[in-house]
């Protein structure tokens, strides 16, 4: 194994949204043995780097589900934005169903409703960590705003006027399944979009070429590594593309059953440092079962 791709929420981080000591040490040992480790997340760069910085892990990043790739120095290597024309069609589809959404851009993540943005973050944390306490969930959501990783703007149209701005992802959310389903049907009619999910009742909308699997393939090629020599670890639907591309696919113990079915192995939960367990078992012996 030469390359290990690791999701963040529900995978690398615990329900407190922290990288466990065991996970950090396993990653460090893997790198000392010559293996490359890349973080593949739906998070924006700003949200990802804060958590990794806390753990003193400076790793290459696949951000926003593959819309952006950054090297170990966190310099942008590539980006795959949603063209403005497609964005406006996405906006129409979501507005038609009265669905709240956030816009992930090259200048940060934006919301036009602070209250709903707070609710969305709580839902994302709770979905990845169903056993998290209300206090844990509240603190995690509050930190998102204190860090300034989500910015308020009263009209998204103002973003479109900014020269050089790129739209990486639209994160839509609704507690009404019927509205989500209706939106998906409308979004399917828009060319070259990828629609996935990372939490209950949300939609992650990116360019069709901006998926973790494609980004992993591109990252491996840039580093002259075969996909057969990669391991991917994840827990949710936006991890499917990279789990299917990797030579070894590992689902977290807290992953949905559908994700476990796709993966070759199932490790422990994120609160049990399942990433460390997967890395250590694989690196010690190629044929060792992770079950």
């Amino acid at each position: 194994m030469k390359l290990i791709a690791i999701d963040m929420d529900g995978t690398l981080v615990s329900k407190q949204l922290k990288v466990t000591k065991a996970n950090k040490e396993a990653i460090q040992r893997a790198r000392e043995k010559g293996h490359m480790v890349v973080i593949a997340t739906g998070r924006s760069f700003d949200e990802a780097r804060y958590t990794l910085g806390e753990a003193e892990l400076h790793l290459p990043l696949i951000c926003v589900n593959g819309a952006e790739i950054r090297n170990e120095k966190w310099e942008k290597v590539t980006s795959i934005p949603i063209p403005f024309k497609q964005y406006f069609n996405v906006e129409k589809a979501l507005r038609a169903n009265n669905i709240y959404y956030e816009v992930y851009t090259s200048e940060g993540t934006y919301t036009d409703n602070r209250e709903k943005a707070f609710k969305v973050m709580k839902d994302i944390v709770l979905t990845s960590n169903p056993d998290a306490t209300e206090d844990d969930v509240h603190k995690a959501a509050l930190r998102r705003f204190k860090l300034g990783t989500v910015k308020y703007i009263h009209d998204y149209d103002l973003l479109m006027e900014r020269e050089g701005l790129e739209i990486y992802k639209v994160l839509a959310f609704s507690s009404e399944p019927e509205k989500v389903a209706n939106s998906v049907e409308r979004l399917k009619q828009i060319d070259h979009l990828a629609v996935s999910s990372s939490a209950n009742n949300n939609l992650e909308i990116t360019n069709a070429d901006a998926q973790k699997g494609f980004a992993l393939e591109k990252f491996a090629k840039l580093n002259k590594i075969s996909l057969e020599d990669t391991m991917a670890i994840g827990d949710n639907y936006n991890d499917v593309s990279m789990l299917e591309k990797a030579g070894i696919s590992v689902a977290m113990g807290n992953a949905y059953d559908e994700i476990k079915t796709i993966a070759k192995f199932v490790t422990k939960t994120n609160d049990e440092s399942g990433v460390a367990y997967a890395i250590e078992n694989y690196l010690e012996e190629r044929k060792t079962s992770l079950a």
Side-chain angles (χ1 to χ4, degrees):
M1 190 57 57
K2 296 179 180 178
L3 174 61
I4 305 170
I6 307 170
D7 171 52
M8 286 193 74
D9 293 293
T11 301
L12 178 65
V13 299
S14 65
K15 65 184 178 184
Q16 286 82 26
L17 299 187
K18 303 280 188 179
V19 179
T20 66
K21 181 181 178 182
N23 283 347
K24 175 183 176 179
E25 291 176 349
I27 288 172
Q28 289 174 329
R29 285 193 294 271
R31 297 181 77 200
E32 287 169 1
K33 292 180 179 179
H35 306 287
M36 182 173 284
V37 179
V38 61
I39 301 302
T41 179
R43 292 189 186 194
S44 67
F45 168 60
D46 287 336
E47 290 181 293
R49 70 174 174 177
Y50 176 79
T51 300
L52 293 175
E54 271 191 327
E56 298 181 337
L57 286 173
H58 292 277
L59 305 168
L61 287 168
I62 292 171
C63 303
V64 209
N65 285 345
E68 190 178 66
I69 295 177
R70 292 179 178 258
N71 61 23
E72 192 171 325
K73 295 180 180 179
W74 290 346
E75 300 164 332
K76 187 190 296 186
V77 177
T78 65
S79 63
I80 305 177
I82 299 173
F84 280 7
K85 182 179 180 180
Q86 281 181 299
Y87 164 76
F88 288 124
N89 288 331
V90 169
E91 181 182 46
K92 288 178 183 178
L94 297 176
R95 296 290 190 196
N97 288 284
N98 193 31
I99 287 185
Y100 164 78
Y101 67 91
E102 297 174 3
V103 182
Y104 285 57
T105 78
S106 53
E107 296 181 9
T109 303
Y110 289 86
T111 177
D112 63 355
N113 188 314
R114 291 188 181 92
E115 183 179 346
K116 288 186 177 179
F118 189 76
K119 187 177 185 301
V120 166
M121 186 55 187
K122 290 178 71 173
D123 180 79
I124 291 173
V125 174
L126 193 57
T127 299
S128 296
N129 306 278
D131 297 327
T133 66
E134 176 62 28
D135 186 53
D136 285 335
V137 172
H138 185 83
K139 286 179 179 178
L142 188 61
R143 183 171 63 176
R144 190 182 192 217
F145 289 95
K146 286 184 177 180
L147 292 173
T149 53
V150 177
K151 306 169 186 177
Y152 173 76
I153 190 167
H154 77 276
D155 189 340
Y156 287 141
D157 285 346
L158 296 174
L159 290 175
M160 308 307 131
E161 299 173 2
R162 297 186 184 180
E163 187 175 351
L165 178 132
E166 293 183 323
I167 302 171
Y168 292 151
K169 181 176 76 171
V170 175
L171 175 65
F173 174 86
S174 175
S175 58
E176 301 178 53
E178 185 176 349
K179 287 185 176 181
V180 174
N182 289 339
S183 294
V184 169
E185 288 305 310
R186 292 194 59 152
L187 290 168
K188 285 180 179 179
Q189 299 173 30
I190 303 173
D191 291 336
H192 215 64
L193 282 184
V195 182
S196 61
S197 175
S198 62
N200 286 338
N201 305 324
N202 87 7
L203 297 174
E204 298 206 358
I205 305 158
T206 62
N207 186 306
D209 294 327
Q211 299 183 58
K212 290 186 181 183
F214 292 139
L216 175 61
E217 188 173 18
K218 182 181 293 184
F219 185 86
K221 187 175 181 180
L222 287 170
N223 290 280
K224 299 179 180 179
I225 297 172
S226 167
L227 281 173
E228 293 181 1
D229 292 326
T230 65
M231 177 166 72
I233 311 173
D235 75 304
N236 223 312
Y237 294 105
N238 63 340
D239 298 316
V240 169
S241 61
M242 74 170 182
L243 291 173
E244 291 178 336
K245 290 273 187 181
I248 296 293
S249 53
V250 183
M252 298 298 294
N254 50 284
Y256 290 112
D257 288 341
E258 296 94 324
I259 308 302
K260 292 178 181 178
T261 300
I262 291 168
K264 292 182 180 178
F265 302 111
V266 178
T267 184
K268 296 181 179 180
T269 69
N270 60 327
D271 253 12
E272 297 172 314
S273 299
V275 166
Y277 183 83
I279 291 174
E280 289 167 358
N281 276 268
Y282 180 79
L283 293 178
E284 287 174 4
E285 186 179 348
R286 188 178 181 87
K287 294 182 180 179
T288 297
S289 172
L290 299 178

